[in-house]
Amino acid sequence: MALLLGDSDPLALVEGWPCDVPLINFEQALELSVFRSGLSRADWLKRLAEQLHKPQLLPLLWLLPRPWKLAPAQLPGRLQALGGLLERSLLTPALLGALADDLPHLWPEAPAEANDALALWSSEGGAGLPQQLDLLLNVTTDTPEQLLPAPAGSQLSGGLLWHNAGLSHEQSANARERNRVCAQVLNRLAANRLGGDNWSIDGCSTSSAWLKHLQERGWQAQARLRCSVASFGLGASLPLENGSWSQVPLALPIRCGLLGRDGQEMRSLLPHSCLELELSGGDALLRLQYYQGTEGLCGWEALNDLERPWQNNRCNGTVRYLGETYQGERLQQLAELCEVIAMVHNQEASDRHLLRGGYGALGFCIDSSALIQQVMEGRCQLYPVLMGGIWRERLIKRAAQLEREAGCWLSPYREALLALPHDGSLHGVAATEARARMLLCQPRSSPFALIQQLSAEAPPGSP
C-alpha cells in the first residue's frame, strides 16, 4: 500500500484500506479547507485559535500537523504553556505523566458541585432510576434519531466541520438511552458501599448480585478489556460535491521513548481503553464501558460511540481486545472489583476537590483498565501506564482507610497499585516489556500508515 503523505506525518493514511465511507487525510483536509475559504493559512489558523475555548477542540493542539501548529502567543492564556510543549514535537509518556496533575486545570472552571465525583457516582441518590429490569427496558428518549445540527461556530470557512457529519450510531436513540440509564444503575448499586440508603433493583443491592440475577433469567453477560485509537471524541469531516461527506480520521500520536529496529524512536497512537460490558436478553442489548474518564468520575458510562469504521468497529480490527473474557462467576468478581476501584477513586477525588473527578491525576482510562487486569489476571498488557507515584501512595492510603471504615477487602487493589509498571522512563527489561505492551494496544487493522509500520516491529507469531 502506498502512502498518501510522507512518513514524517504520524496521521498519514494508506491507500486501499477497506472502508465504506470516503476518508481524507487530516493535513489534506486542512489544505482543502483553506483553499476553499480563500483565506491565508495564517488567517484560517487565527479563526481556529478563536474556537479553542471549547473543551472538545483541545486535542487539536496535539494533533495539528507541524506546518499548522499554533504558536503559544495565538492561544488563550491558560493554554499557552501546553501549546509551547506541543509547538515543535509530539508528547511522550514522560510528558503526559508530568502533565497529569495539571491536566484538569486546562479545562474551563466548572461549578463546585460539578466536581463532586461521589455525587455523580451515586446518581443523586438514585432518585428517578428504575428499580426493576422491565422498567429499565421500557426507557425511551425524545432525542431525534438524526444527527443534531452543528453548534454555532463549529464550522470553519472552507467547510471543515468538527464532527463526523453523515455517520450514525449502531444502536437506536432509545437503546442508547437505556445504555445510559443502565450505567447509572450500576454506579448507584456500587455507591451502596458508602453506606446510607441501600438502593436496589430487582431486589439486588450490588452490581454482582444483579448481574447474577440477569444470568439466572437467561441473559447473556460478558466483559472484555478493549483498546481503540483515542481522539477524545473529536471528529472532523469535509463536504463533497455530491452532498455527502468525506471523513477525516483523527488520532493522538505520541513518541514512545523506545527505539525501533531501525534505531529511531518509535511513535504510536494513544489508545482509549475501557472495560466493555455487554448484556443481552431476548431483543434487548445493553452496552456499557467502565473507566476513569473525563465525565467527572470513575465508573460506568454508556458505550454509545458514533460508528467510526477507522476507530471503533468491533469486527474490522480497529478495536483490540486484551486478556480474559469475563463471564459467570468471574464476571461477578469483576463487578465487585469495579465497585471497589470506583469507591476509592471517587472518594479521593471528592475529598480533594479534583477537577474532572481526578482524570489524569488518578490515572487515565488506560490506568483503570490496567488496574483491573492486574487484579483479575496478575498481569498488565496496557500501554502507556502513567499513574504517578504520589497518587498511587494517596490511593493506597485511601484504600487502607476505607478498608478499616467499611470493612472492604482491598488488599488485591493495593497490591495492584504497587505492581503496575510506569511508562514514563523505560530502559532494559522494562523497555522490552513495554514495547510488547505498546504493540498489543494498537489496532490489528487501520488506515493509519503508522500502524502499518508498527506491525513490522511485532515479533513473529505475536498475537
Side-chain angles (χ1 to χ4, degrees), residues 171-193:
Q171 293 183 279
S172 69
N174 285 336
R176 299 196 303 274
E177 180 66 8
R178 288 190 284 271
N179 292 342
R180 186 189 68 81
V181 173
C182 187
Q184 289 184 311
V185 164
L186 288 178
N187 286 335
R188 182 60 192 87
L189 288 172
N192 283 335
R193 289 180 176 269

Side-chain angles (χ1 to χ4, degrees), residues 108-128:
E109 286 292 334
E113 60 271 15
N115 296 323
D116 191 338
L118 285 180
L120 290 172
W121 187 46
S122 62
S123 301
E124 303 292 338

Side-chain angles (χ1 to χ4, degrees), residues 355-377:
L355 293 175
R356 300 279 169 173
Y359 179 77
L362 301 182
F364 300 94
C365 59
I366 298 167
D367 298 271
S368 53
S369 292
L371 267 172
I372 287 171
Q373 190 176 43
Q374 188 67 47
V375 174
M376 295 296 295
E377 302 178 24

Side-chain angles (χ1 to χ4, degrees), residues 2-22:
L3 297 187
L4 295 176
L5 291 177
D7 291 353
S8 61
D9 177 11
L11 297 186
L13 304 181
V14 294
E15 293 178 349
W17 189 77
C19 187
D20 57 3
V21 296

Side-chain angles (χ1 to χ4, degrees), residues 41-367:
R41 181 184 292 185
D43 287 338
W44 192 93
L45 287 172
K46 182 179 179 180
R47 291 191 179 186
L48 174 60
E50 292 170 352
Q51 295 189 21
L52 289 178
H53 65 281
K54 302 182 178 71
Q56 67 269 25
L57 295 184
L58 285 182
L60 285 174
L61 290 179
W62 190 335
L63 54 87
L64 282 171
R66 184 169 295 181
W68 296 78
K69 290 291 187 184
L70 290 161
Q74 297 174 280
L75 301 173
R78 65 186 176 83
L79 297 178
Q80 288 181 2
L82 180 60
L85 283 174
L86 295 171
E87 185 179 12
R88 299 186 182 278
S89 187
L90 301 177
L91 282 178
T92 65
L95 277 173
L96 274 174
L99 282 169
D101 280 354
D102 289 327
L103 187 64
H105 302 286
L106 297 174
W107 303 93
E109 286 292 334
E113 60 271 15
N115 296 323
D116 191 338
L118 285 180
L120 290 172
W121 187 46
S122 62
S123 301
E124 303 292 338
L129 290 180
Q131 293 190 267
Q132 295 177 8
L133 175 63
D134 293 342
L135 295 177
L136 171 58
L137 298 180
N138 285 324
V139 167
T140 59
T141 178
D142 295 329
T143 303
E145 193 62 52
Q146 68 271 18
L147 288 176
L148 296 175
S154 68
Q155 181 173 319
L156 287 177
S157 296
L160 187 60
L161 198 66
W162 297 121
H163 75 232
N164 296 108
L167 297 185
S168 60
H169 293 85
E170 183 177 353
Q171 293 183 279
S172 69
N174 285 336
R176 299 196 303 274
E177 180 66 8
R178 288 190 284 271
N179 292 342
R180 186 189 68 81
V181 173
C182 187
Q184 289 184 311
V185 164
L186 288 178
N187 286 335
R188 182 60 192 87
L189 288 172
N192 283 335
R193 289 180 176 269
L194 299 173
D197 294 336
N198 200 38
W199 191 87
S200 65
I201 180 171
D202 294 326
C204 303
S205 58
T206 68
S207 55
S208 60
W210 192 53
L211 291 175
K212 181 180 179 181
H213 170 75
L214 292 180
Q215 292 174 88
E216 289 173 346
R217 288 186 57 170
W219 279 58
Q220 300 298 312
Q222 68 171 24
R224 296 178 290 178
L225 292 169
R226 61 178 264 169
C227 285
S228 57
V229 171
S231 68
F232 287 92
L234 182 64
S237 49
L238 199 65
L240 296 172
E241 291 182 359
N242 63 5
S244 62
W245 294 85
S246 183
Q247 305 299 329
V248 185
L250 298 178
L252 301 174
I254 59 172
R255 294 165 42 212
C256 296
L258 300 166
L259 287 181
R261 294 179 181 176
D262 60 359
Q264 301 299 312
E265 184 175 11
M266 299 173 72
R267 298 180 298 178
S268 68
L269 300 180
L270 186 71
H272 166 66
S273 182
C274 67
L275 176 71
E276 175 188 294
L277 174 63
E278 186 171 278
L279 306 172
S280 58
D283 296 330
L285 175 62
L286 300 167
R287 284 199 174 120
L288 312 176
Q289 55 183 331
Y290 177 97
Y291 58 99
Q292 181 88 42
T294 59
E295 294 84 356
L297 74 157
C298 176
W300 294 100
E301 296 286 344
L303 186 50
N304 287 343
D305 294 340
L306 192 69
E307 280 197 283
R308 297 182 173 116
W310 62 90
Q311 183 181 39
N312 56 21
N313 187 293
R314 293 175 178 80
C315 303
N316 69 356
T318 55
V319 172
R320 191 78 177 260
Y321 289 100
L322 304 176
E324 181 181 342
T325 298
Y326 301 100
Q327 297 174 306
E329 291 185 7
R330 287 288 283 169
L331 179 58
Q332 294 162 32
Q333 295 169 5
L334 175 64
E336 292 180 359
L337 173 64
C338 290
E339 290 188 353
V340 164
I341 294 175
M343 177 180 64
V344 176
H345 287 221
N346 294 328
Q347 185 82 63
E348 185 72 13
S350 286
D351 283 1
R352 293 186 180 275
H353 307 290
L354 300 178
L355 293 175
R356 300 279 169 173
Y359 179 77
L362 301 182
F364 300 94
C365 59
I366 298 167
D367 298 271

